[in-house]
Amino acid sequence: MKFPSKVARAAGSGASVPVECCQICGSGKLDSVLSLGYMPPVNQMVPIGAVPHQQPWFPTNLLHCRECDLVQLGLAVDPVIIFPPEYPYTSGTTKLLRDNFADLQRESAELLGLTAQDLVVDIGSNDGTLLSNFKNAGYRVLGIEPTDVGKIANTRGIPTIQRYFGPDVAREVAREHGYATVVTAANCFAHIEDVHGIVDGIVAMLKDDGVFISESHYLIPLLDTLQYDTVYHEHLRYYSLASLKRLLEMHELEVFHARPIPSHGGSIRVYAARRGTHTVQASVERMLAAEPRGPAMSERLTQFRRDVVLSKLRLMAMLREIKENGARIAGISAPSRASTMINYVGLDEGIIDYVCEIAGSLKIGKCLPGTGIPVVDEAKLFEDQPDCAVIFSWHIADELAPKLRAKGFRGELITPLPVPRKV
Ligand SMILES: [Zn+2]
């Protein structure tokens, strides 16, 4: 198998490199899908009140590969810029994610018949939330996480190597901990730029019949619910099952089960193993058959671009009307995706007074990237009672809205996507 040799590599550049050929198949036939303009890195948050200083902004364009249908970012940014050691995201904070990882453990243990000696390795293990489920169920676990969040996992008793994952780390794991029965990569498999190196590394530490389970944002619900706000420089690739399958097959891995899961507004969980070691389930063909391919995908992406532009104009029109009536607007939660929406739509501290995060969030005390909008403890919302609040983590609005009401928020709640509306 010949892997693309021209693929963009930003690591070590201290800057960014344009994506000029497909990250999976190497084809140069890349069509432009959507441009969101220039964006600041979502995790570079300046402390409230700090003197504004120079910051990098990067072009944010989506491309579609005509050859393998992968939708991908048009720019690779050096990981030291997008995953700084002070990376403020912890995965243990939302109930939906905690429930999902518990489900992943139950489903995989049942499907694969795991036993207590089995080693489970999680790539991009964050604060150890995913692995804690496997640890509690009695398996050996090991996390790999490049940022300081890995220290939280270690203090919680989840052994974690604080390194960027690659073939070297994989060989070290196999040597020192033995081969893994299960390797998981949840919400990071689309983030790491050298995707062929990652899959090689995964194969190198898997037992002969070991299983690789990935969870990634899924392109189809992303298009269906206009989640352009999940486009930022951490997310290099937006997988369909067809494009994922093609990637894994380049490394002799066969997809044997796949299903949609609710994480991050619509994700896909995919099971793969060395060819012929596991029975391929009907779920694979079923999901593939429902995905647009080739010219149908191009057409779907054109419609997506038109709808995204309209959604920006509609949200602005709604907020304009609120401001014309003299009302005050706050924001609820500051996930990374809030940065894309705020910068693409053009919201600033003149429009949104502040954004709330629950107590304990590492983002409190900082400003949303590219703006002077402060992130504050949500206690302020209940004291201050602004007239309305935009829910930036709108994909979990059903979980959030009742909680905000129960805690006493009386203003109007707005979800900005897929269609701006009051809830
Ligand atoms: Zn391609």
Side-chain angles (χ1 to χ4, degrees):
M1 178 60 67
K2 191 173 162 292
F3 298 117
S5 54
K6 290 195 308 181
V7 171
R9 295 274 180 275
S13 70
S16 63
V17 177
V19 170
E20 290 174 307
C21 66
C22 175
Q23 300 170 49
I24 289 183
C25 75
S27 164
K29 294 179 207 150
L30 300 177
D31 295 328
S32 173
V33 174
L34 173 71
S35 172
L36 297 172
Y38 282 69
M39 296 276 174
V42 295
N43 289 308
Q44 285 192 8
M45 300 178 71
V46 177
I48 296 170
V51 176
H53 59 92
Q54 180 181 313
Q55 276 190 293
W57 285 57
F58 298 104
T60 309
N61 304 316
L62 272 187
L63 307 175
H64 168 229
C65 173
R66 245 181 281 161
E67 191 66 39
C68 76
D69 272 337
L70 179 68
V71 171
Q72 53 203 300
L73 207 59
L75 190 80
V77 180
D78 193 329
V80 301
I81 299 174
I82 33 183
F83 303 104
E86 67 277 15
Y87 185 70
Y89 175 78
T90 50
S91 62
T93 46
T94 79
K95 180 171 182 298
L96 197 72
L97 280 185
R98 285 196 303 272
D99 291 350
N100 175 63
F101 290 150
D103 175 71
L104 167 64
Q105 187 275 320
R106 277 192 305 269
E107 183 183 86
S108 58
E110 193 181 305
L111 189 68
L112 309 174
L114 302 180
T115 64
Q117 296 79 38
D118 289 324
L119 174 65
V120 179
V121 178
D122 187 29
I123 300 169
S125 53
N126 201 267
D127 61 1
T129 302
L130 185 156
L131 284 178
S132 65
N133 292 286
F134 285 95
K135 183 170 188 263
N136 294 341
Y139 309 113
R140 287 194 298 137
V141 299
L142 180 68
I144 301 165
E145 169 61 45
T147 75
D148 285 346
V149 176
K151 294 194 174 94
I152 300 176
N154 272 315
T155 59
R156 291 169 67 190
I158 310 289
T160 300
I161 302 173
Q162 200 174 336
R163 300 259 294 277
Y164 287 100
F165 180 73
D168 292 350
V169 173
R171 281 188 286 272
E172 188 183 308
V173 167
R175 204 167 50 235
E176 290 175 15
H177 302 266
Y179 289 94
T181 307
V182 174
V183 173
T184 52
N187 203 36
C188 70
F189 193 51
H191 298 37
I192 308 176
E193 65 175 11
D194 180 11
V195 70
H196 291 288
I198 299 309
V199 184
D200 268 348
I202 289 162
V203 172
M205 63 182 182
L206 268 185
K207 269 180 165 171
D208 286 345
D209 62 348
V211 173
F212 170 49
I213 309 171
S214 66
E215 291 188 357
S216 309
H217 266 131
Y218 186 28
L219 178 66
I220 308 306
L222 185 154
L223 299 177
D224 288 346
T225 54
L226 286 190
Q227 298 187 52
Y228 71 83
D229 60 340
T230 64
V231 177
Y232 43 87
H233 295 95
E234 282 179 25
H235 298 160
L236 285 167
R237 295 172 294 278
Y238 303 79
Y239 296 117
S240 59
L241 181 57
S243 58
L244 257 177
K245 184 168 175 282
R246 171 133 176 186
L247 165 64
L248 295 169
E249 281 173 355
M250 289 172 86
H251 298 266
E252 309 302 321
L253 291 178
E254 180 176 54
V255 173
F256 66 89
H257 180 42
R259 75 176 185 89
I261 52 169
S263 318
H264 307 286
S267 299
I268 184 169
R269 182 184 294 162
V270 175
Y271 289 72
R274 286 187 179 85
R275 195 176 308 284
T277 57
H278 291 75
T279 309
V280 179
Q281 306 206 3
S283 58
V284 179
E285 204 38 59
R286 200 164 52 232
M287 283 194 79
L288 285 173
E291 293 181 346
R293 304 281 273 276
M297 179 63 94
S298 300
E299 211 170 291
R300 183 69 191 83
L301 293 169
T302 304
Q303 184 200 332
F304 174 69
R305 166 167 39 196
R306 192 177 59 235
D307 292 345
V308 167
V309 171
L310 284 175
S311 116
K312 167 178 176 161
L313 294 169
R314 284 176 186 144
L315 179 60
M316 220 28 166
M318 186 183 224
L319 298 181
R320 182 196 132 193
E321 200 181 310
I322 293 167
K323 290 304 263 191
E324 296 228 36
N325 292 327
R328 287 183 311 128
I329 308 172
I332 308 291
S333 55
S336 298
R337 60 199 301 160
S339 177
T340 293
M341 177 175 293
I342 279 174
N343 285 290
Y344 172 65
V345 175
L347 305 180
D348 59 30
E349 61 273 30
I351 302 169
I352 307 284
D353 292 356
Y354 52 85
V355 169
C356 306
E357 279 269 293
I358 49 169
S361 161
L362 301 172
K363 296 180 179 184
I364 292 171
K366 297 173 179 163
C367 291
L368 280 173
T371 75
I373 303 174
V375 181
V376 302
D377 189 309
E378 75 165 3
K380 183 175 167 99
L381 185 78
F382 309 115
E383 254 168 57
D384 189 38
Q385 297 289 344
D387 306 279
C388 84
V390 180
I391 303 178
F392 289 112
S393 47
W394 58 274
H395 60 295
I396 49 167
D398 291 347
E399 183 188 329
L400 283 179
K403 280 189 195 159
L404 293 164
R405 293 298 182 211
K407 288 181 189 171
F409 179 62
R410 297 187 299 273
E412 281 193 298
L413 287 169
I414 292 174
T415 54
L417 285 175
V419 177
R421 65 187 179 92
K422 294 171 180 171
V423 289

